[in-house]
Amino acid sequence: MLYAAGLDWATSLPVGVSRSEAPLYGQLQYMRVNDTLSGTANSDRIRGGGGNDVIKSGQADDTISGEDGNDRLWGSSGSDSLSGGANDDRLYGGWGNDILRGGSGRDAFVFSSAPNGVTNVDAIRDFSVANDTVWLENTVFTSAGSTGRLKSAAFWTGDAAHDASDRVIYDREDGILYYDSDGTGTDEQVAFAKLATGLRMTYADFQIV
């Protein structure tokens, strides 16, 4: 990292290359460091490298890679691309239509902002039913249930709720995850994520946090 070496962005980048065009690395090559990094108002590229990193995007459309380690990656208001890499990572998409890749390991995809079927639908590109979990923030998904594993009666596979207890719905044909605050009641279901089609998802793939 340039600051660790006592250098400055203004004098260290090649002529004609701006801060937003250069990737930010969390450590010098081959060092394993637990970094805490944040993006800027520009469209940033940030790589954590080795170590257990916490990386938060800025206000634009950022690309964040945790690489090795058990990383915590946070999107913000832009349409960000988050990639956990190796080991067990947590990916927080935030707002916007983000692209999430957990990589290898047991990853958690955390949804903590209000779902919106147009402006806030994250695409999870590599969800593994065997290893990964979707986490739903209970202050946002207020009708999903109490903290812990989603109750079996609150999950349904189909294109819409089939009874009043359904809260999370996976459309296996289209790969869409929906949240429905009242099942077959009058409130409309809202898409909040796009996964691969044909997954054998169950209630056990979801945690209320």
Side-chain angles (χ1 to χ4, degrees):
M1 185 173 176
L2 290 174
Y3 295 124
L7 302 177
D8 182 84
W9 281 110
T11 59
S12 301
L13 293 175
V15 174
V17 176
S18 69
R19 159 69 180 85
S20 63
E21 294 172 322
L24 176 60
Y25 289 90
Q27 80 278 305
L28 299 175
Q29 194 174 16
Y30 308 123
M31 292 178 64
R32 294 189 61 84
V33 180
N34 299 331
D35 304 305
T36 299
L37 304 171
S38 297
T40 69
N42 298 309
S43 295
D44 303 304
R45 291 176 290 148
I46 307 176
R47 296 182 181 179
N52 302 324
D53 307 311
V54 176
I55 307 177
K56 298 183 179 182
S57 71
Q59 291 76 49
D61 301 337
D62 299 322
T63 300
I64 296 176
S65 300
E67 300 186 328
D68 292 335
N70 300 322
D71 305 309
R72 306 292 181 262
L73 310 181
W74 298 75
S76 187
S77 55
S79 294
D80 305 303
S81 177
L82 310 182
S83 178
N87 298 326
D88 304 336
D89 308 305
R90 293 182 194 171
L91 286 73
Y92 300 76
W95 297 268
N97 297 323
D98 307 303
I99 297 174
L100 312 178
R101 295 180 176 88
S104 60
R106 304 180 70 85
D107 304 310
F109 300 91
V110 187
F111 292 84
S112 56
S113 59
N116 183 296
V118 176
T119 63
N120 194 18
V121 181
D122 292 346
I124 304 176
R125 292 292 174 82
D126 62 349
F127 187 84
S128 167
V129 172
N131 297 316
D132 299 333
T133 312
V134 173
W135 290 11
L136 304 177
E137 169 61 54
N138 62 7
T139 60
V140 174
F141 297 84
T142 55
S143 298
S146 57
T147 301
R149 180 176 289 178
L150 183 71
K151 290 180 170 54
S152 60
F155 178 77
W156 181 249
T157 299
D159 60 4
H162 87 300
D163 65 27
S165 66
D166 294 335
R167 294 295 180 267
V168 178
I169 301 153
Y170 171 58
D171 186 339
R172 188 174 290 164
E173 291 188 5
D174 294 331
I176 303 294
L177 277 177
Y178 296 97
Y179 171 63
D180 196 321
S181 62
D182 65 350
T184 51
T186 58
D187 292 344
E188 293 290 332
Q189 66 184 19
V190 183
F192 67 93
K194 175 75 166 68
L195 287 72
T197 60
L199 297 177
R200 297 293 178 181
M201 299 190 80
T202 71
Y203 69 96
D205 294 308
F206 299 88
Q207 287 283 332
I208 311 302
V209 296

